[in-house]
Amino acid sequence: MSKRLFSGIQPSGNLHLGNYLGAIQNWVKLQDEYEAIFCVVDLHAITVPQDPVELRKKIIEVAKIYLAAGIDPKKSTMFVQSHISEHTQLAWILSTLTKITELERMTQFKDKSQKDGKEGIGAGLLTYPTLMAADILLYDTAVVPVGEDQVQHIELTRVLARRFNEKFGETFVIPESIVGKKSARIMGLDDPTKKMSKSAASEYNYIALTDDAETVRKKIKKAVTDSGSEIVYSDSKPALKNLLNIFALLYDKKLEAIAEEYAGKNYSDFKNGLAEVIINFLSPFQERLKNISDEEVLAVLRAGAEKVKPLAREKMHQVFDKIGLISY
Ligand code: ATP
Ligand code: LTN
């Protein structure tokens, strides 16, 4: 039997090219190699305030995005995190083994708590990584494909799994992260020193997967560039490097080939080319997205939940036994 893979995305904000290239594009490739489970992690989304009407729409939209991007429900399993109550049950148990200092050290928590101050954020933002660890450990996951920003959470998951195993006996598989080389960290179009982010202040930070052609052209035109005019891939030109990475990942071409194509041309030629590459990817993707009905996606999610429920139950029986609770 092939090894298990697990990953997920929060149904919050607008999914963007960073989510696609950093996560979903790799998932589509990896689903042939692993027994893959893809989750819509709605309980993670509510660690920051969400509008109920919007949240419900987003949960369905994210699942549709998985399908439109090429996740095949015949090969992979898709479900909604909140439908399997064992996630929160295990998260609670893991939180009793987690030190507050370990949670406070997480970069994502530090960033968010610095922005809003500790008085302005909920306890869920602090304990968020124990829920993520539960997602992963419930299913004997071997690999977790994510963008680089999530590696620290997976490191903590490994620490918690080892800690549990040492204290109570072998129970959890120790998972590993898989991070794409060029896709690890897609940077913001308006600031190449920060990652492209759903929660960015300006919509010029990202290309949303639902942006239309005109919006893509406008955003790429406005994207910051470096000094000079030559199209070269270099650390000294972080903005151009990011745009070239996006180009190469979507076009499935080597960076050298793209640089060669644009030798002697200027930034504006390159940006026009990049906008067209993005549009050529997005339009068929959006066409597929539009044609997936709510009923279809809900059926896939229901079947997925039914498939993973027994796995989660079985793991919780083991955990209850090990820690001295009474299984029911
Ligand atoms: P936010 O940007 O609001 O912090 P997020 O997009 O990081 O949210 P998720 O939706 O949970 O949060 O991310 C889903 C997946 O997309 C994760 O695997 C994450 O690592 C990846 N990802 C997100 N942004 C990028 C990026 N800019 N480059 C590469 N991967 C990314
Ligand atoms: N925290 C992740 C989303 C996430 C996840 C997971 C990713 C929640 N649970 C389990 C992989 C495996 C993020 O990208 N913000």
Side-chain angles (χ1 to χ4, degrees):
M1 207 174 68
S2 47
K3 288 197 212 166
R4 177 134 327 119
L5 174 154
F6 185 101
S7 199
I9 294 186
Q10 309 183 130
S12 57
N14 286 325
L15 260 68
H16 49 69
L17 274 183
N19 298 128
Y20 176 73
L21 298 172
I24 308 172
Q25 192 182 45
N26 297 327
W27 299 358
V28 173
K29 292 182 196 144
L30 292 165
Q31 68 179 337
D32 291 323
E33 247 175 88
Y34 293 92
E35 191 190 322
I37 304 179
F38 300 110
C39 190
V40 181
V41 286
D42 52 352
L43 297 173
H44 277 106
I46 59 167
T47 54
V48 294
Q50 301 291 342
D51 174 78
V53 175
E54 282 305 310
L55 178 62
R56 197 164 293 128
K57 276 197 218 147
K58 274 281 160 205
I59 295 170
I60 292 176
E61 186 186 89
V62 169
K64 285 185 181 175
I65 286 175
Y66 290 0
L67 292 175
I71 300 300
D72 179 353
K74 287 199 217 73
K75 294 181 194 160
S76 305
T77 307
M78 273 173 51
F79 75 101
V80 179
Q81 184 187 36
S82 61
H83 292 175
I84 305 296
S85 51
E86 284 77 4
H87 287 244
T88 38
Q89 210 172 28
L90 181 57
W92 174 258
I93 292 169
L94 292 175
S95 80
T96 65
L97 295 174
T98 313
K99 301 179 204 323
I100 292 178
T101 47
E102 285 174 321
L103 296 171
E104 283 180 337
R105 267 205 298 276
M106 295 292 114
T107 311
Q108 188 172 308
F109 172 74
K110 281 199 286 193
D111 285 352
K112 296 205 173 165
S113 60
Q114 261 160 22
K115 233 197 270 167
D116 299 323
K118 276 194 190 166
E119 307 73 32
I121 58 173
L125 259 189
L126 178 66
T127 56
Y128 175 116
T130 62
L131 179 58
M132 179 159 163
D135 298 341
I136 296 167
L137 299 179
L138 257 185
Y139 301 105
D140 290 332
T141 301
V143 294
V144 189
V146 283
E148 195 183 59
D149 60 312
Q150 294 303 316
V151 171
Q152 197 187 24
H153 290 153
I154 295 166
E155 286 302 319
L156 180 61
T157 303
R158 292 163 60 86
V159 168
L160 296 180
R162 283 205 203 92
R163 191 171 293 159
F164 189 103
N165 288 350
E166 271 161 29
K167 199 163 177 197
F168 300 108
E170 274 315 299
T171 310
F172 295 123
V173 171
I174 313 295
E176 278 178 36
S177 51
I178 298 187
V179 180
K181 238 198 200 148
K182 281 186 287 205
S183 60
R185 218 167 132 76
I186 304 297
M187 310 311 274
L189 299 179
D190 57 348
D191 179 358
T193 64
K194 296 206 182 83
K195 72 162 195 151
M196 186 177 280
S197 169
K198 286 186 218 165
S199 39
S202 159
E203 60 171 345
Y204 285 95
N205 167 274
Y206 58 81
I207 303 279
L209 294 177
T210 46
D211 278 346
D212 62 21
E214 264 334 287
T215 310
V216 171
R217 290 195 187 100
K218 204 166 61 188
K219 286 184 175 177
I220 293 296
K221 206 172 205 171
K222 265 195 96 162
V224 301
T225 41
D226 315 274
S227 55
S229 60
E230 223 188 321
I231 308 299
V232 282
Y233 189 80
S234 152
D235 285 340
S236 65
K237 294 190 169 209
L240 184 59
K241 183 178 165 188
N242 186 42
L243 298 180
L244 273 164
N245 268 334
I246 295 174
F247 200 125
L249 287 162
L250 284 178
Y251 201 34
D252 207 14
K253 265 220 167 154
K254 291 234 157 58
L255 287 163
E256 297 79 29
I258 297 165
E260 214 169 276
E261 207 175 313
Y262 285 94
K265 297 189 178 154
N266 59 26
Y267 280 167
S268 129
D269 296 325
F270 171 71
K271 280 184 161 184
N272 288 338
L274 174 61
E276 293 319 304
V277 164
I278 295 174
I279 293 163
N280 282 341
F281 159 70
L282 284 182
S283 21
F285 167 82
Q286 289 168 0
E287 191 57 31
R288 289 194 295 277
L289 193 61
K290 207 175 64 188
N291 288 324
I292 302 169
S293 68
D294 287 10
E295 292 68 35
E296 182 184 346
V297 81
L298 287 170
V300 169
L301 293 170
R302 201 171 306 117
E306 275 167 22
K307 196 155 163 214
V308 297
K309 181 76 182 176
L311 303 175
R313 253 332 309 130
E314 168 55 27
K315 185 55 76 181
M316 286 317 291
H317 278 308
Q318 290 172 23
V319 170
F320 270 40
D321 275 355
K322 293 274 167 78
I323 67 176
L325 301 179
I326 299 168
S327 273
Y328 56 95

